[in-house]
Amino acid sequence: MSVQAFISYLQLEKNYSKHTIQAYDRDIREFSSFCEEHHDVSSIIDIGYPMVRNWIVHLSSNEVSNRSINRKISSLRAYYKFLLKVGDISASPLTKHKSLKTDKKVEVPFSEHEMEEMLKAIPFDDDFEGTRDKLIIELLYATGMRRAELVNLRLNNIDFSQNTLKVLGKRNNERIIPLLPATASLIKTYLRQRSNLEKVQDPSALLLTQSGLKIYETLVYRTINKYFSLVSPKVKKSPHILRHTFATHLLNRGADLNSVKELLGHSSLASTQVYTHNSIAELKKVHQKAHPRNKE
């Protein structure tokens, strides 16, 4: 019952996404099954840290990465924090737990040249799907929005009078993103083609499949991978790399960190700072080129 109460808490009070809630639920039930099978404990309310440690060893021996283990422990930590809040336990077994060390993920953004090639040189088909695919790429790069935010865009999120786009982010936090003239123009072109679809099954959704349904996250990933394979040798080609590219290019061209933070919808600067390592490299070039103390 406490697990279901926790899930309801995440849905109703924390406004977590469906995907996040499913991950929390899966991690907690997986740990519960482990405790029952290996320690004959039927309720994870009654467990101690040694059982958590045994689970970590079990996961590691099954070649689960440290990053994935940390995520699973994070789910447990949130659950025990909830149990403390409602008074079901007096102390969390994870109080002294330290996260496992992980290698830093290096995500290489697309270059400005690659983006130029993509949006100006690639011959997108001049039909509904071709225009939609180009708009998917344009929106991700021009706004920095997340893939889930793109998928859930509604027609009434667009304000052409102000050239802005309202985005519903994590935990139902709304933010307004300015639209570039080129992006607004492409949206209008897409909407004209969208109006010719024979059947629209989700009329409030902005981005649709050919059959008139709202697009889905796998389609967005496949679209990015398909087109960027034509212009970039980079191994990782994903919607998140476009978000990373958006932030990096703005910072390289002088945007301040706080403004980028607001555009990305981050709750703290710490989240935005992960995008600065490429802009620091660019600043070094500018500094070395422009400073009179640098001897060529």
Side-chain angles (χ1 to χ4, degrees), residues 11-282:
Q11 289 173 325
L12 302 174
E13 292 194 37
K14 303 295 284 184
N15 290 321
Y16 281 4
S17 70
K18 182 180 177 182
H19 174 78
T20 300
I21 291 170
Q22 286 174 342
Y24 274 59
D25 188 37
R26 184 172 57 248
D27 294 337
I28 293 165
R29 295 188 187 280
E30 183 184 325
F31 177 60
S32 182
S33 298
F34 173 84
C35 290
E36 192 166 354
E37 181 181 345
H38 293 270
H39 297 283
D40 199 26
V41 175
S42 58
S43 173
I44 60 174
I45 290 178
D46 302 324
I47 69 100
Y49 183 65
M51 295 180 197
V52 177
R53 192 168 56 238
N54 287 347
W55 189 47
I56 292 171
V57 172
H58 170 76
L59 292 170
S60 185
S61 65
N62 282 282
E63 299 185 354
V64 177
S65 70
N66 283 4
R67 192 177 300 278
S68 294
I69 291 173
N70 284 342
R71 184 189 57 73
K72 291 175 183 293
I73 297 300
S74 177
S75 298
L76 282 188
R77 196 189 297 277
Y79 176 56
Y80 285 116
K81 187 176 178 182
F82 167 76
L83 294 179
L84 280 169
K85 182 185 178 79
V86 298
D88 281 359
I89 59 173
S90 57
S92 168
L94 289 162
T95 302
K96 295 183 179 180
H97 174 76
K98 292 183 179 179
S99 297
L100 303 180
K101 289 184 178 179
T102 58
D103 294 330
K104 269 194 171 181
K105 281 175 80 176
V106 178
E107 295 187 323
V108 182
F110 297 115
S111 68
E112 290 192 25
H113 173 71
E114 285 171 329
M115 292 310 306
E116 191 78 8
E117 283 281 297
M118 171 55 58
L119 293 167
K120 290 194 174 178
I122 294 296
F124 289 86
D125 290 339
D126 192 22
D127 57 10
F128 170 76
E129 288 192 335
T131 304
R132 182 207 59 203
D133 290 352
K134 186 173 184 179
L135 180 58
I136 285 172
I137 295 168
E138 172 76 29
L139 281 169
L140 289 171
Y141 176 53
T143 70
M145 72 176 69
R146 301 175 178 92
R147 174 170 57 171
E149 293 169 346
L150 176 85
V151 167
N152 291 310
L153 284 175
R154 320 307 288 175
L155 281 172
N156 61 10
N157 291 155
I158 309 165
D159 183 346
F160 285 118
S161 66
Q162 298 294 321
N163 257 9
T164 58
L165 186 64
K166 182 168 69 176
V167 174
L168 188 64
K170 288 185 176 180
R171 303 176 194 177
N172 287 336
N173 289 325
E174 288 185 354
R175 68 186 186 278
I176 303 296
I177 302 177
L179 286 175
L180 300 171
T183 310
S185 176
L186 185 56
I187 292 173
K188 289 175 182 176
T189 300
Y190 162 78
L191 289 176
R192 284 194 294 271
Q193 296 202 353
R194 181 186 184 280
S195 66
N196 294 325
L197 289 177
E198 288 185 12
K199 187 177 182 181
V200 173
Q201 301 184 58
D202 195 344
S204 65
L206 173 63
L207 295 164
L208 302 175
T209 65
Q210 185 73 53
S211 58
L213 291 167
K214 184 177 80 169
I215 62 166
Y216 45 95
E217 294 197 7
T218 308
L219 183 149
V220 177
Y221 181 85
R222 286 203 306 256
T223 300
I224 301 305
N225 207 39
K226 169 187 171 183
Y227 287 102
F228 277 92
S229 294
L230 302 174
V231 298
S232 176
K234 291 181 175 65
V235 174
K236 190 167 183 182
K237 308 174 187 72
S238 69
H240 185 72
I241 295 297
L242 272 176
R243 181 169 163 86
H244 187 48
T245 301
F246 164 83
T248 301
H249 290 181
L250 286 183
L251 290 166
N252 283 350
R253 287 175 169 259
D256 69 275
L257 202 58
N258 266 309
S259 297
V260 176
K261 167 185 169 290
E262 294 300 317
L263 289 167
L264 291 171
H266 284 159
S267 56
S268 70
L269 273 178
S271 301
T272 315
Q273 284 169 336
V274 300
Y275 298 108
T276 62
H277 70 274
N278 290 289
S279 58
I280 292 296
E282 193 69 22

